[in-house]
Amino acid sequence: MSGGDAWRGYINARLCERVRERGYDSLTAFADARPSVPLFVLADELGNDVAAVQLLSGLMFEAEQRKQVTRLIRDVLVRELAERFPSGWPDVLADSSRVEAAMGLGSWFAYTPLTHRDRVDRAGNAILAHPPPIGWRPLGPDDELLRMLLPDEEA
């Protein structure tokens, strides 16, 4: 993204147009096709006038409409972990890997709507207190461990 172009014009229309140009009928379908790609990379794929926060906002809108907010929250964690630990969960949370884990979990919490923050906080604490298996790399929001930590609760 460059020069502030992402904030010009009708953002939602631009996002919808870009995903349709790529053969998807929704932002969710576009993101689901790349389940462990960080949001900023997905935004870059849509053009230099798309910001990751805009993509996240559009995904959240669609998740709310579909009553799949918890699934999207798990999806965001998958993307954060893929960015921080591309080879999977480290064998030991030493200084640098502890910082990466804290940054990933902190970003995840920050991207979470207020309605789900308590649950995300508990899930993040559980991950740190009882680390996943070495090399664990969730490939999508339906990962068994993630569903156990943050089960769907939408009506």
Side-chain angles (χ1 to χ4, degrees), residues 7-73:
W7 305 104
R8 292 193 178 102
Y10 188 56
I11 296 164
N12 292 334
R14 181 170 51 243
L15 289 172
C16 290
E17 175 186 334
R18 299 288 169 77
V19 296
R20 283 192 195 107
E21 287 172 355
R22 287 155 180 78
Y24 300 95
D25 64 352
S26 68
L27 290 171
T28 302
F30 172 72
D32 282 351
R34 296 160 187 76
S36 59
V37 175
L39 289 171
F40 76 91
V41 174
L42 290 179
D44 286 348
E45 287 181 20
L46 293 176
N48 65 355
D49 58 349
V50 174
V53 68
Q54 295 168 330
L55 179 58
L56 179 61
S57 178
L59 289 167
M60 186 60 67
F61 176 78
E62 289 181 6
E64 289 168 348
Q65 298 299 306
R66 296 175 177 169
K67 299 190 183 326
Q68 294 183 334
V69 173
T70 302
R71 184 178 189 280
L72 175 61
I73 292 168

Side-chain angles (χ1 to χ4, degrees), residues 111-140:
Y111 297 150
T112 298
L114 294 174
T115 55
H116 289 68
R117 284 199 175 165
D118 286 341
R119 292 179 64 210
V120 163
D121 193 37
R122 287 192 302 273
N125 289 339
I127 289 172
L128 292 176
H130 307 286
I134 296 167
W136 174 69
R137 186 172 176 248
L139 300 178

Side-chain angles (χ1 to χ4, degrees), residues 66-128:
R66 296 175 177 169
K67 299 190 183 326
Q68 294 183 334
V69 173
T70 302
R71 184 178 189 280
L72 175 61
I73 292 168
R74 289 191 309 262
D75 179 79
V76 171
L77 178 59
V78 169
R79 295 173 194 285
E80 284 295 321
L81 292 175
E83 180 181 353
R84 308 291 176 178
F85 301 117
S87 299
W89 194 262
D91 56 345
V92 175
L93 281 181
D95 291 342
S96 64
S97 59
R98 183 173 297 282
V99 168
E100 287 299 319
M103 289 173 49
L105 293 172
S107 294
W108 181 45
F109 182 83
Y111 297 150
T112 298
L114 294 174
T115 55
H116 289 68
R117 284 199 175 165
D118 286 341
R119 292 179 64 210
V120 163
D121 193 37
R122 287 192 302 273
N125 289 339
I127 289 172
L128 292 176

